[in-house]
Amino acid sequence: MNAGDAVLRDGDVAVFTFDSPPVNALSHPVRAAFLAAIEALDVDPGVRAIVLLGAGRNFIAGADIREFDKPPLEPLLTDVLSRLESCGKPVVAALHGAALGGGAETALACHYRCAAGDLQLGFPEVSLGLLPGAGGTVRLPRLAGWQAAFELMASGKAIGIDPAIELGLVDRRMDGDLRAGAVAWARELAAARAPLRRVSELPVPPSRPAQFEEYLRILPPAARRLPAPPRIVEALAATAMLPVEAALARARALFLECLESTESRALRHLFFAERATAPDPELARAVNQAAVLGAGTMGSGIAISLATGGIPVTLIDAKQDALDAGLARARASIDASERKGRLDAGAAAAARGRLQGSLTLAAAGAVDLVIEAVFENLAVKREVFGRLGQLCRPGAVLATNTSTLDVDSIADASGRPDDVVGMHFFSPANVMRLVEVVRGRGSSREALATAYAVTKRIGKIAIPVGNAFGFVGNRMLYAYGREKELMMLEGAKPEAVDKALQDFGMAMGPNAVGDLAGLDIGFQVRKEWKEKPEDPLFYRVSDRLAELGRFGQKTGRGFYRYDLPGGERTPDPEVAELIRAEAERLKVKQRSIEPGEIVSRCILALINEGARILEEGIAASPADIDVIWCNGYGFPRHRGGPMFYADSLGLAVVVESIRALAGLHGTRYWTPARLLVTLADEGGTLAAWQAARLPRLGE
Ligand code: 3H9
């Protein structure tokens, strides 16, 4: 982008268009071109007003996140925006689509703002471990007040046009042609010699020092321990107390501190890892109609996702009452999304219209994609795929939602394995964004590409995985779970295990998760698992609880005790006694176990298994594993996922710690993966190893 091309004249109004696909991020060349244009237009006698527009679907998505790993290059955005604000002619921001982060800051540095109805304005920096570093902390409270500024920046959530107008962030709604409307308004402002409203010259709203302490207190405890949220409050306090220039400088300094933090690096790593393009997008087949088999919780969750994602779907179940319940659940969920404002009335009505039910498998005959979510049993699934293979139209993609069964065996039963893939959704499927797309031995590239494309279209993240027990996520879960189970036999209380891992940042402790999912499920899986480790201690605590009918929340008893299903959990002395008796029977000596040991054994087990999965090619990259664990298993995002975390600990430390555990507990579970040893010896990282394997673009 260069300054000359970006400026077009409309009479005496100059229109500067940010045109830097895909999202008009404010990269160095864009900042340089913009600054040059503003300086030239400010002194151009033929120009009386300036309009800023974004080309394509967005105004500006913010600073260019790819530049954050390199030293900052001048002109810095904060300086460019100060120059913009000081312009001697009215500058009107014409906003549409995303005006986020640095994009929102650019808008606030203009003298007037108008916007189209699709505006999404926000400060998502916190989700990258950052704070607004180009004047947002100084300008936003002057327009919207302290409370709104704090909430917008601390939550990172974007707002639509109506709240943006209510908060005084947008002056006018522009229905119709945004460019024409903005140009006409800019001309009016110039003709009327309207005042140049420089936001940073407005008075700061009154404040009390205690108010900023209060903001710190109301941050969620996990956020308080991260670098960015407390610094957002600090930058706001600086705005309250310091002159504009000093407050801007303070915000910039705080921004740079955050930029250097491991947490921000981790969150930036996930930002790109979650957007990595899946293979062969051009090979995807069109999907205009889908069917979901099985109207249970999983099946109806998948049907909701397809219907709200724009794909007409038939939910199929042989039993009338199950089908009715599944459809009712799906409709209730769409209604709830509408009530909560996640879907507008039109989108909700359209989603309801895309949903229908059928009692016969024949209803899947003409669709483009079938997702099977019937009972998790190989014989049942093979029978279903045998019938689907016969009745589905040629070219239809047949996906199984199995979480542990052999996709090849299911594919073979269909008689057309090239059309078969796994699509492993996570529960609840309408909420969780992750889908492991399983590549079977015979899966065609077209079938896989179709599964990736549909997943993306319904707003979820598709990660390619190989066909092996548990694929990537659940296989690693078994390594993680193995250690927490062993440590409970060795003397760690279930609630102490959960607390240690939650304090590390896991969304929930593994025992609470087990109770939620149902301990009978894993018990059943382990019974059928052919290559289960021959170890009487393996998952012994969970199995014992399941043997006693303690299935978790649904039976009111599991690792914990529950008064109501889904109610408060309380530690159960019966469980402690039960574990003690089991340890005695198995001759495991009990001792006191520190939280540090709980975290280190669980997380090192996870890392080591992840590295083996990489060696075996079951996952394509460490980043894919990170995305799976952060989106499917509640691994703390600010640690970047288990493989990023391994790099941040240092692989030499990881290998040394695994060897130390081998010294204490034997090599059966504690032999470091070859990949880790090799990289540790070379002083390498998983990230660098991955980068060296990736073909360069265009090769
Ligand atoms: C900031 O602004 C700091 C300032 O306060 C201070 C600075 C001093 N940079 O998401 P999509 C790429 S921090 C670079 O799939 P969608 C993305 O990687 C920034 N690249 O599209 C992908 O690339 P590829 C604050 C970016 O339509 C492509 O664009 N802003 C950036 O689903 C399409 O992305 C944010 O955090 C970026 N800023 O959603 C907003 N943004 O095609 C981040 C996107 O190679 N962005 N890319 O895979 C978003 O939230 C979404 O991208 C958006 C579009 C809603 C805009």
Side-chain angles (χ1 to χ4, degrees):
M1 200 175 123
N2 71 54
D5 296 342
V7 181
L8 283 175
R9 301 298 169 95
D10 193 323
D12 53 3
V13 177
V15 179
F16 181 95
T17 304
F18 291 94
D19 188 0
S20 176
V23 293
N24 305 331
L26 295 161
S27 61
H28 176 248
V30 172
R31 295 195 303 275
F34 179 47
L35 179 63
I38 290 299
E39 283 180 334
L41 295 173
D42 202 8
V43 293
D44 185 332
V47 172
R48 297 187 64 203
I50 301 165
V51 167
L52 305 187
L53 265 183
R57 285 172 32 215
N58 303 302
F59 177 61
I60 299 168
D64 188 336
I65 302 165
R66 286 167 307 184
E67 287 182 353
F68 287 166
D69 289 328
K70 304 175 204 145
L73 285 178
E74 292 190 348
L76 301 177
L77 185 60
T78 190
D79 299 332
V80 174
L81 298 187
S82 294
R83 177 65 189 87
L84 170 69
E85 191 179 51
S86 71
C87 184
K89 300 165 180 175
V91 184
V92 173
L95 310 173
H96 77 294
L100 299 175
E105 291 175 302
T106 303
L108 297 191
C110 294
H111 306 134
Y112 294 91
R113 285 158 292 281
C114 60
D118 68 346
L119 175 70
Q120 283 294 306
L121 183 130
F123 296 84
E125 285 89 343
V126 70
S127 61
L128 296 167
L130 300 171
L131 66 146
T137 54
V138 168
R139 294 191 180 92
L140 182 60
R142 288 180 151 85
L143 283 177
W146 295 112
Q147 186 66 28
F150 166 68
E151 283 170 14
L152 280 170
M153 291 180 186
S155 74
K157 290 204 181 108
I159 53 174
I161 181 135
D162 294 332
I165 289 177
E166 268 165 46
L167 288 173
L169 301 178
V170 168
D171 307 301
R172 271 196 189 190
R173 182 185 177 115
M174 286 290 179
D175 293 317
D177 186 331
L178 176 64
R179 182 187 198 276
V183 167
W185 187 33
R187 187 166 289 128
E188 269 172 43
L189 289 166
R193 297 189 182 283
L196 302 179
R197 279 196 346 202
R198 298 190 174 109
V199 176
S200 69
E201 291 176 4
L202 298 176
V204 278
S207 65
R208 298 163 290 112
Q211 161 183 346
F212 300 102
E213 280 158 31
E214 178 60 17
Y215 291 158
L216 278 180
R217 259 198 307 280
I218 59 179
L219 285 172
R224 219 177 296 149
R225 291 195 292 268
L226 296 176
R231 284 180 173 77
I232 288 175
V233 177
E234 202 182 329
L236 288 174
T239 294
M241 282 173 274
L242 301 177
V244 170
E245 281 310 313
L248 282 173
R250 184 74 196 123
R252 171 83 191 154
L254 291 166
F255 173 82
L256 290 176
E257 284 174 22
C258 287
L259 202 60
E260 289 301 315
S261 68
T262 307
E263 289 80 1
S264 175
R265 286 182 200 280
L267 291 162
R268 275 138 53 194
H269 156 73
L270 286 174
F271 179 87
F272 290 112
E274 287 169 354
R275 285 169 172 79
T277 316
D280 302 327
E282 69 290 351
L283 296 183
R285 296 177 190 149
V287 172
N288 299 316
Q289 281 282 342
V292 174
L293 307 188
T297 316
M298 190 47 107
S300 56
I302 297 171
I304 298 165
S305 304
L306 291 167
T308 49
I311 302 176
V313 54
T314 307
L315 187 60
I316 302 177
D317 202 295
K319 296 198 197 85
Q320 183 77 58
D321 50 348
L323 181 62
D324 291 346
L327 285 171
R329 216 172 13 250
R331 293 197 180 107
S333 158
I334 295 169
D335 293 349
S337 297
E338 184 181 353
R339 257 195 326 274
K340 291 177 189 159
R342 282 195 225 114
L343 287 177
D344 65 34
R352 278 188 286 266
R354 291 189 197 105
L355 196 64
Q356 55 175 326
S358 172
L359 290 166
T360 127
L361 204 58
V367 304
D368 310 304
L369 168 71
V370 181
I371 303 178
E372 163 278 311
V374 302
F375 186 59
E376 185 77 352
N377 171 285
L378 189 60
V380 174
K381 297 212 188 233
R382 280 180 55 90
E383 208 262 324
V384 167
F385 272 74
R387 293 175 62 199
L388 288 175
Q390 297 279 319
L391 68 87
C392 288
R393 64 162 194 76
V397 173
L398 314 180
T400 170
N401 176 52
T402 182
S403 51
T404 49
L405 300 173
D406 179 8
V407 172
D408 290 336
S409 170
I410 296 171
D412 289 344
S414 74
R416 43 194 274 194
D418 48 330
D419 285 331
V420 177
V421 298
M423 284 179 84
H424 178 212
F425 287 78
F426 286 67
S427 190
N430 50 315
V431 176
M432 301 287 280
R433 287 186 68 211
L434 179 67
V435 179
E436 286 181 320
V437 175
V438 188
R439 182 180 66 245
R441 196 173 42 227
S443 308
S444 67
R445 286 167 64 190
E446 289 79 4
L448 288 164
T450 308
Y452 301 137
V454 165
T455 306
K456 182 155 194 229
R457 192 165 148 203
I458 62 177
K460 298 194 187 290
I461 305 171
I463 300 293
V465 299
N467 179 32
F469 177 83
F471 314 126
V472 170
N474 281 345
R475 176 166 155 189
M476 289 173 70
L477 183 64
Y478 263 106
Y480 172 80
R482 175 198 79 215
E483 285 308 307
K484 65 100 181 168
E485 293 269 328
L486 290 174
M487 282 186 280
M488 286 190 288
L489 283 178
E490 290 167 34
K493 297 268 178 301
E495 56 278 14
V497 168
D498 281 358
K499 176 159 186 340
L501 288 159
Q502 256 189 301
D503 287 350
F504 171 77
M506 298 299 296
M508 273 174 94
N511 295 321
V513 172
D515 276 0
L516 181 66
L519 297 178
D520 49 328
I521 312 248
F523 185 49
Q524 213 49 46
V525 168
R526 285 188 293 280
K527 272 192 193 161
E528 295 197 15
W529 183 6
K530 292 193 198 73
E531 281 129 42
K532 190 175 83 167
E534 276 183 33
D535 176 359
L537 309 187
F538 186 76
Y539 267 84
R540 192 52 214 143
V541 176
S542 278
D543 286 351
R544 183 73 192 125
L545 294 177
E547 283 162 12
L548 295 170
R550 297 186 67 119
F551 295 157
Q553 289 198 14
K554 58 185 160 193
T555 56
R557 298 275 188 282
F559 282 104
Y560 296 90
R561 195 186 274 255
Y562 303 85
D563 293 334
L564 293 169
E568 278 283 295
R569 56 174 183 263
T570 44
D572 188 344
E574 262 177 49
V575 173
E577 176 47 30
L578 213 137
I579 297 176
R580 199 204 51 74
E582 205 54 14
E584 194 174 291
R585 186 180 72 77
L586 292 161
K587 302 197 173 26
V588 179
K589 211 164 150 255
Q590 292 210 312
R591 62 191 167 92
S592 123
I593 298 187
E594 292 299 310
E597 179 178 346
I598 295 172
V599 170
S600 132
R601 278 172 65 179
C602 286
I603 303 300
L604 287 170
L606 203 53
I607 292 171
N608 207 28
E609 197 64 22
R612 292 223 176 88
I613 282 173
L614 287 170
E615 285 168 3
E616 292 168 26
I618 304 296
S621 73
D624 279 357
I625 294 181
D626 289 339
V627 174
I628 288 174
W629 264 77
C630 289
N631 288 281
Y633 300 85
F635 195 92
R637 293 182 68 80
H638 69 273
R639 297 192 194 272
M643 309 323 276
F644 183 94
Y645 184 60
D647 274 350
S648 64
L649 288 174
L651 296 185
V653 172
V654 168
V655 169
E656 199 182 306
S657 311
I658 292 176
R659 287 189 174 136
L661 285 167
L664 292 168
H665 303 282
T667 52
R668 167 185 216 152
Y669 297 130
W670 291 115
T671 301
R674 236 177 325 113
L675 177 63
L676 293 179
V677 174
T678 312
L679 291 175
D681 287 348
E682 290 167 357
T685 61
L686 287 159
W689 171 76
Q690 180 61 29
R693 291 166 70 210
L694 279 179
R696 289 283 149 265
L697 225 58
E699 272 177 18

